[in-house]
Amino acid sequence: MGGFLETLYDVLFHPAAALQNIAMEKKVGQSLGAFLISIFVPAWAVYFGLQNADFPTISVIVIFIQVVGSTIFWFVGAGFFGLLAELFGGQGTAIGLLAGMGFANFPRVFVVPLIVLSTLLPGSLQSLFLVLFGSILVFWIITLHVIAIREAYVLSTLKAVAVVITPVAVMVVCGIIVAVSLGTMLLQWMPRL
Amino acid sequence: MNGVLKKMSIVLLAIVVLGCLIFIAAKTPGLKQNYGLGKIALIHVDGVIIGGRGQSGLLSEHGGTDNIIRQLHDARDDESVKAIVLRINSPGGSVAATQEVGEEIQKVRATGKIVVASMGDIAASGGYWLAVMTDKIYANSTTLTGSIGVYMPYANWQELFQKIGIHQEKIKSGIHKDILSPDRPMTEEERKIIQAIVDQMYDQFVDVVADGRKMDRQTVRQLADGRIYTGIQAKELGLVDDLGNLYDAIDGAAKMAGITGKVQLKEYDKMNPFSMFWGANEKIDFSMLIPTQLRQTLPLTTPLAMPARWGE
């Protein structure tokens, strides 16, 4: 598990051992490399996709938001998940988790072959194909994040899942509260017939 | 699996991903057209037409004709743009601001570029003024258009001011300096002055419509009593050319400009991320809701040098 390419291979095919090793050795440099690849390669595909879909003006903004958002999520997420993992009784370092989460994003690069494969399908099946395999890809990435948290903080799988789900659940509740408040406010302003 | 095989697997994966990226790039028509010719610029005229810069932020711009003029100017200078579709959704606005945009449309047409108007819900008064400056007008069958005319709003609040004890004193440099002042009734002489201004602006409007629609002035005057028309009525009267939606207008502009194949649109305005994410076409500015409501009802406190808006 020494080199960068070997580590990438192990993250894809032996994630538990690989992410444990990454967290222990705090491979932040390699993690940054994996993270940048996993951000910019799909961003390229998204850029061309938006160009194809007649949205050339927003492609730059979407990519900017994707790159900045992902980077912020990586750093802030590592700190936040680290804090939650400690609250759930885990022991480890945020730097180790940061390294693991950087590698956990790597399956994003498979978005590119997915897009290409979808173009070979009939138009009616393209969306279904992308939604189906896109969901599998998202599930894979989330699973790798769970494993990264579990291995970095020596938690049970159930607790690691709880660490990931807790902020999402809090955000969903906050989102519902904001949506209801905004909706009420807009209804008051809305002209009526 | 040994280290070499692991490395080879990842290298193979990298080659596949790279190949896919090249495939996607090669299939992108925009790549060629970005450096080629034959785009159509889409410029929106939304809401009340009023002069000035409007509101401009890092990622969004709205309101104010300076923004529309800048977009027209950019489209004129952009060699890849062969035609412009002006999407109008406006009840009208200030005469001078409308005229300014209209003149910029003329400058664009003078360069040989096609300008086509597509009317949305409403393209009345100043909105119609802009439409007649274009090469061809498309309207929906239920679009509200017309309203060819000018009015200058004036409210006399003298009695209310007296009731609440406001007595405004003025030191004037001339007898008409406080013309249209809301704290006193308008004099007959002032009414004549304002009427002359409104009439002159109306004449200019009639001229613009007559020139743009290739109609004689007398016919335009008969239609220009301020009333609004539906898209169907407007087509029957020759005020618009064709019935159709935005994409009919885009196709029409492409045909007139000799653009073949898939039309590539180009927009020059900054898009509000809020609108992008929520899929809204209108750019919502909550902070302007209250001032907009107040502007409709409260008197103007300074003399009007121009009509605040066109007829509704």
Side-chain angles (χ1 to χ4, degrees):
Chain A
M1 282 211 205
F4 180 59
L5 297 181
E6 290 169 63
T7 310
L8 282 179
Y9 178 89
D10 287 328
V11 167
L12 296 179
F13 297 104
H14 310 289
L19 289 166
Q20 186 188 44
N21 183 263
I22 289 163
M24 261 177 23
E25 294 185 14
K26 298 185 179 66
K27 294 179 174 178
V28 179
Q30 285 191 8
S31 175
L32 178 66
F35 178 78
L36 291 177
I37 292 168
S38 61
I39 295 302
F40 283 103
V41 170
W44 192 1
V46 168
Y47 174 77
F48 289 122
L50 289 170
Q51 292 278 330
N52 272 329
D54 284 343
F55 294 120
T57 47
I58 65 165
S59 55
V60 176
I61 298 173
V62 170
I63 288 167
F64 176 79
I65 291 170
Q66 194 197 352
V67 170
V68 173
S70 299
T71 309
I72 290 171
F73 179 78
W74 183 35
F75 277 94
V76 176
F80 195 65
F81 286 142
L83 182 67
L84 278 176
E86 284 183 16
L87 288 175
F88 276 94
Q91 284 188 329
T93 61
I95 294 289
L97 180 57
L98 182 78
M101 281 175 62
F103 277 100
N105 281 296
F106 186 67
R108 283 188 187 202
V109 296
F110 291 107
V111 164
V112 181
L114 273 186
I115 291 172
V116 170
L117 285 174
S118 75
T119 61
L120 303 176
L121 293 171
S124 55
L125 288 177
Q126 284 183 0
S127 299
L128 184 71
F129 176 84
L130 282 174
V131 168
L132 183 69
F133 285 93
S135 302
I136 292 171
L137 201 58
V138 169
F139 182 75
W140 187 7
I141 293 165
I142 292 172
T143 304
L144 287 180
H145 277 79
V146 169
I147 295 171
I149 292 165
R150 187 186 72 189
E151 299 303 327
Y153 279 87
V154 199
L155 286 169
S156 67
T157 305
L158 202 64
K159 283 185 177 176
V161 170
V163 168
V164 173
I165 287 176
T166 304
V168 177
V170 170
M171 277 195 290
V172 167
V173 171
C174 289
I176 290 169
I177 292 168
V178 170
V180 169
S181 311
L182 266 177
T184 313
M185 195 176 83
L186 276 174
L187 277 176
Q188 284 173 349
W189 282 109
M190 210 64 83
R192 294 167 195 203
L193 291 169
Chain B
M1 191 180 272
N2 65 35
V4 177
L5 280 175
K6 284 180 181 178
K7 283 178 189 169
M8 279 180 66
S9 302
I10 293 298
V11 169
L12 191 67
L13 173 68
I15 290 168
V16 169
V17 171
L18 196 67
C20 289
L21 281 175
I22 292 167
F23 177 80
I24 292 172
K27 283 202 68 164
T28 303
L31 260 192
K32 295 169 200 161
Q33 288 177 24
N34 273 344
Y35 303 103
L37 297 172
K39 289 178 188 167
I40 290 182
L42 181 59
I43 297 175
H44 293 268
V45 180
D46 288 327
V48 176
I49 300 165
I50 195 150
R53 288 182 291 178
Q55 294 205 331
S56 182
L58 181 65
L59 292 166
S60 69
E61 269 177 345
H62 50 93
T65 48
D66 287 3
N67 180 30
I68 300 168
I69 290 169
R70 180 189 58 74
Q71 291 182 53
L72 285 165
H73 204 266
D74 289 348
R76 189 189 69 178
D77 292 345
D78 190 335
E79 286 184 10
S80 69
V81 169
K82 286 286 186 186
I84 296 170
V85 171
L86 205 63
R87 176 66 168 172
I88 303 170
N89 234 323
S90 170
S94 152
V95 183
T98 305
Q99 194 170 41
E100 208 174 7
V101 177
E103 281 172 6
E104 196 60 32
I105 293 170
Q106 269 189 328
K107 286 180 196 167
V108 174
R109 289 177 64 192
T111 63
K113 293 189 178 180
I114 301 294
V115 184
V116 169
S118 163
M119 295 177 167
D121 299 335
I122 184 166
S125 204
Y128 184 68
W129 179 313
L130 295 184
V132 297
M133 303 296 284
T134 64
D135 293 291
K136 191 171 184 181
I137 305 175
Y138 285 84
N140 298 300
S141 55
T142 52
T143 293
L144 291 179
T145 186
S147 187
I148 304 165
V150 182
Y151 84 91
M152 202 173 276
Y154 163 72
N156 180 5
W157 294 68
Q158 188 182 31
E159 283 183 40
L160 175 67
F161 287 173
Q162 281 171 355
K163 280 180 184 168
I164 59 177
I166 294 176
H167 301 281
Q168 194 171 20
E169 295 290 340
K170 288 176 198 149
I171 294 93
K172 296 191 282 188
S173 59
I175 190 168
H176 296 306
K177 184 58 191 166
D178 67 339
I179 196 166
L180 288 173
S181 183
D183 61 338
R184 64 174 178 80
M186 188 186 287
T187 65
E188 271 311 305
E189 193 184 356
E190 287 172 341
R191 187 173 292 278
K192 283 179 187 165
I193 292 171
I194 298 298
Q195 187 63 55
I197 290 171
V198 168
D199 289 346
Q200 201 203 54
M201 287 177 169
Y202 174 74
D203 286 341
Q204 290 184 58
F205 199 168
V206 168
D207 288 346
V208 165
V209 175
D211 291 343
R213 301 304 304 163
K214 309 280 186 291
M215 295 164 87
D216 68 84
R217 275 154 185 72
Q218 198 48 42
T219 308
V220 175
R221 278 184 187 279
Q222 284 171 2
L223 302 172
D225 58 0
R227 77 178 67 186
I228 52 172
Y229 302 100
T230 65
I232 290 175
Q233 290 173 328
K235 173 138 182 2
E236 285 167 357
L237 295 168
L239 294 174
V240 305
D241 294 297
D242 237 326
L243 296 178
N245 64 15
L246 173 62
Y247 287 94
D248 293 321
I250 290 167
D251 290 342
K255 201 176 284 181
M256 289 169 77
I259 299 169
T260 52
K262 193 182 176 192
V263 173
Q264 195 183 356
L265 294 177
K266 185 164 188 178
E267 294 191 51
Y268 295 92
D269 59 336
K270 293 186 219 165
M271 192 72 175
N272 187 335
F274 183 86
S275 306
M276 274 177 0
F277 286 126
W278 292 90
N281 289 326
E282 290 296 324
K283 293 163 180 124
I284 301 168
D285 183 2
F286 292 105
S287 64
M288 288 305 290
L289 282 173
I290 294 172
T292 305
Q293 293 299 318
L294 290 176
R295 198 165 51 223
Q296 300 294 322
T297 52
L298 288 182
L300 292 160
T301 52
T302 52
L304 274 172
M306 67 178 79
R309 58 188 170 174
W310 296 88
E312 292 170 339

